[in-house]
Amino acid sequence: MSKEYDVVVIGSGPAGYVAAIRCAQLGLSTAIVEKWRNSNKETVHGGTCLNVGCIPSKALLDSSYKYFEAKEHSDVHGIKLQNVKIDVPAMIARKDKVVSQLTQGVKGLFTANKIDDIAGAGKVVSKNKVKVISHDGEEQELTAKHIIIAAGSVPINIPSAPIDQETIVDSTGALEFKEVPKRLGVIGAGIIGLELGSVWARLGSEVVVLEALEDFLPAVDKQIAKETLKILEKQGLEIKLGARVTDTKLSKGAKKTVTIDFSDTQGDQKAEFDKLIVAVGRRPFTDDLLEVSAGVELDERGFIKVNDQCETNVPGVHAVGDVVRGPMLAHKAMEEGIMVAERIADKKMQVNYDLIPSVIYTHPEIAWIGKNEEELKASGIDYNIGVFPFAASGRALAANDSDGLIKLLADTQTDRILGCHIIGASAADLLQQIVIAMEFSASAEDIGLTMFSHPSLSEGVHEAALAVNGHAIHISNRKRRK
Ligand code: FAD
Ligand code: AMP
């Protein structure tokens, strides 16, 4: 007999688990179907983000940064450390512990919210039926008034670099190295490639990043992208732009290396690495997810087609997170999950797709929101710019962490903030102040009239806002207009 629910959610990543919890909070009977299992064959929740994405990558970024700081910068503070060593298995074990704490936490939230947690692969059979095939091959059918598809994404594979998770790895394999590779290649200078490359570079790998495009971080404000390239190269990452990888060959023997062929402006070239990370992007994961007769449409890139409210073409069937258009980011996924839950419960929430913050968790961090200069120029909008370099921040200097800058863009006519672009320590958290300000349509003057604690990195946000109108105190005001 088929079980009946108000809502069945497929996938318990950030989009799905958040949607399920909000549905349950709103009094809807809810089930969530998840097929991910750990090596002990236990179902694990949290999807890519908690298991092999945001959280483990940040755990390794934090550990590797502590090591790097201890080794390279403790002297500056008058701290003498000798023989600073890295224990890679211990670092990986700590990362695994953080992951397990969080995935267990999601399970606990399902229990607390009385959400039925169903193990197996879900498939949408019709507008209100989901078939679940358990890991033992048993089938059950769930009936739902509403279905929320939150099946996420998986790494893109390229035929020129087939993943074996030993020598040629994807982002998941790059979180599991047993030792620091002497020479590490990274294909793709996107967010994931730069973050994972940074982890292993800090631990001592010679890292070469190969990027097919000529432009570095094309989605990022040009000034910030240029600064990022300079800082990452200073940290020892070799970043080859316009370098397209065309082939790879594994060596013979027990401890394999990989030789890659790539072409750039200097012609065809070769390079040899101990490990190679393929970080060329991710694709929506719709394998075995939709019965053709269910009629759920995909777009030309394989994403489930949805409108701004995450409704598919089939009434009652919604899709959220990485499996639909838009940036593949956990916070975007979560907000879509909440929006759909609220709309199912007849509330009127709407995600503001113009205000999705982006962050690259290198050190310093890179974070941005809204329009960049190139976009404003292209759309013919007049803007003022306020820039604050962290070299003028007392707090950044006290922390010996003063690389980078904050750049704020505001409309010349109205002073309304149009964008903010930061490279610097804690950029993600600093940016959030401007995300909130923009959500409330604040002007640069509004931020300028707000009091900020001293000394704090946030004062940089204040100064950048004051600089927009030529009123900054701690830097010379070169008011710049387009
Ligand atoms: P997912 O997290 O992919 O979850 C989908 C879930 O659905 C999975 O658990 C999967 O097993 C399950 N599923 C799929 N099909 C079925 C089925 N048929 N039946 C049952 N279950 C199914 N984003 C950020 O915002 N910040 C970061 O710092 C960040 N860092 C990242 C670092 C790395 C290395 C990677 C790879 C990604 C990172 N991301 C980051 C992206 C982030 O992980 C994704 O945007 C986010 O996980 C998307 O959430 P989701 O719920 O849509 O999909
Ligand atoms: P992202 O999609 O942001 O994760 O970035 C992936 C990056 O990988 C993009 O900038 C692509 O240009 C780059 N890329 C894709 N294929 C190749 C390749 N064969 N060689 C080098 N870079 C590549």
Side-chain angles (χ1 to χ4, degrees):
M1 204 183 72
S2 137
K3 281 199 198 162
E4 284 188 31
Y5 295 93
D6 290 326
V7 183
V8 170
V9 182
I10 302 179
S12 69
Y17 85 73
V18 166
I21 291 171
R22 192 70 193 117
C23 284
Q25 286 174 344
L26 289 162
L28 302 162
S29 64
T30 307
I32 191 156
V33 185
E34 175 56 65
K35 65 178 178 186
W36 199 307
R37 292 205 293 178
N38 61 18
S39 49
N40 298 327
K41 299 197 170 169
E42 298 152 341
T43 299
V44 281
H45 301 294
T48 303
C49 177
L50 267 55
N51 289 287
V52 294
C54 326
I55 298 300
S57 62
K58 265 79 259 176
L60 293 186
L61 278 159
D62 285 337
S63 295
S64 60
Y65 190 65
K66 282 186 195 299
Y67 168 77
F68 179 79
E69 276 290 280
K71 200 156 174 284
E72 303 296 327
H73 295 147
S74 56
D75 269 15
V76 181
H77 298 278
I79 304 167
K80 301 286 170 208
L81 296 175
Q82 274 152 14
N83 287 327
V84 178
K85 288 214 168 66
I86 183 70
D87 176 346
V88 175
M91 184 178 286
I92 301 288
R94 186 196 84 94
K95 178 263 294 176
D96 290 341
K97 207 167 146 204
V98 174
V99 167
S100 134
Q101 191 176 340
L102 288 167
T103 55
Q104 288 296 321
V106 173
K107 192 180 167 69
L109 289 171
F110 289 162
T111 310
N113 284 287
K114 301 191 170 46
I115 295 166
D116 275 1
D117 168 9
I118 298 170
K123 190 170 200 170
V124 180
V125 179
S126 71
K127 74 181 176 59
N128 50 16
K129 292 241 183 291
V130 172
K131 181 166 77 184
V132 182
I133 305 176
S134 78
H135 296 286
D136 303 327
E138 280 170 26
E139 279 189 23
Q140 66 170 311
E141 198 171 72
L142 310 175
T143 304
K145 293 193 184 99
H146 300 268
I147 295 171
I148 304 178
I149 306 171
S153 63
V154 287
I156 291 177
N157 293 324
I158 46 174
S160 51
I163 306 295
D164 62 9
Q165 290 308 25
E166 278 296 325
T167 313
I168 306 180
V169 301
D170 59 17
S171 57
T172 300
L175 300 167
E176 299 294 335
F177 291 159
K178 294 185 176 56
E179 57 185 19
V180 180
K182 189 167 175 330
R183 276 184 61 80
L184 171 66
V186 181
I187 309 182
I191 298 183
I192 293 175
L194 292 178
E195 288 186 359
L196 295 174
S198 291
V199 166
W200 297 102
R202 290 169 189 171
L203 301 178
S205 284
E206 293 163 33
V207 176
V208 181
V209 182
L210 299 118
E211 169 55 57
L213 300 176
E214 302 278 346
D215 249 9
F216 181 62
L217 295 175
V220 176
D221 181 275
K222 272 212 176 352
Q223 183 184 6
I224 302 287
K226 210 169 135 196
E227 191 68 15
T228 307
L229 185 60
K230 201 172 77 192
I231 291 174
L232 292 180
E233 285 182 338
K234 202 170 81 186
Q235 291 174 2
L237 265 79
E238 188 181 343
I239 298 173
K240 289 183 185 290
L241 298 173
R244 174 169 291 280
V245 175
T246 50
D247 199 11
T248 51
K249 268 193 191 63
L250 293 178
S251 65
K252 303 237 174 336
K255 191 153 186 187
K256 295 204 167 25
T257 60
V258 53
T259 301
I260 65 160
D261 290 345
F262 66 96
S263 55
D264 65 8
T265 45
Q266 283 151 43
D268 293 341
Q269 308 205 44
K270 284 191 190 301
E272 193 188 358
F273 300 106
D274 300 295
K275 301 271 185 202
L276 180 66
I277 302 174
V278 181
V280 297
R282 298 179 62 82
R283 67 170 175 88
F285 187 46
T286 54
D287 305 4
D288 266 337
L289 178 68
L290 306 165
E291 199 85 76
V292 178
S293 58
V296 177
E297 284 176 13
L298 305 184
D299 69 16
E300 60 290 350
R301 295 171 61 213
F303 291 92
I304 296 179
K305 227 190 226 178
V306 287
N307 61 13
D308 274 359
Q309 290 75 44
C310 291
E311 294 165 323
T312 68
N313 62 308
V314 178
V317 179
H318 315 256
V320 287
D322 281 10
V323 80
V324 304
R325 49 73 195 120
M328 289 184 166
L329 292 169
H331 41 279
K332 175 260 192 188
M334 291 194 244
E335 288 303 304
E336 287 184 336
I338 292 175
M339 171 174 72
V340 166
E342 301 238 337
R343 294 185 87 92
I344 289 173
D346 283 336
K347 296 182 183 295
K348 293 281 170 269
M349 181 182 165
Q350 176 60 53
V351 167
N352 182 352
Y353 285 103
D354 291 333
L355 284 185
I356 302 177
S358 296
V359 181
I360 309 177
Y361 290 88
T362 45
H363 195 95
E365 291 175 359
I366 296 103
W368 67 98
I369 184 78
K371 303 281 183 221
N372 60 36
E373 276 205 66
E374 294 69 43
E375 288 164 342
L376 290 175
K377 277 183 192 139
S379 48
I381 298 170
D382 286 338
Y383 57 93
N384 287 331
I385 311 170
V387 173
F388 180 78
F390 284 106
S393 155
R395 189 74 186 91
L397 288 168
N400 188 42
D401 209 352
S402 59
D403 277 343
L405 56 96
I406 301 178
K407 176 171 176 177
L408 203 67
L409 305 171
D411 190 291
T412 306
Q413 300 298 318
T414 63
D415 197 37
R416 185 175 171 164
I417 300 169
L418 300 172
C420 182
H421 308 271
I422 306 179
I423 172 166
S426 302
D429 293 293
L430 295 179
L431 184 84
Q432 202 57 42
Q433 306 174 29
I434 296 298
V435 181
I436 296 169
M438 288 179 76
E439 190 65 50
F440 286 90
S441 307
S443 63
E445 188 186 33
D446 290 329
I447 305 288
L449 289 170
T450 307
M451 196 182 294
F452 284 70
S453 338
H454 174 77
S456 65
L457 294 176
S458 297
E459 285 175 299
V461 174
H462 189 221
E463 288 276 313
L466 289 170
V468 165
N469 291 302
H471 304 152
I473 301 293
H474 296 90
I475 49 169
S476 61
N477 285 286
R478 277 170 289 119
K479 190 171 167 191
R480 290 198 287 138
R481 279 216 165 121
K482 193 194 114 180

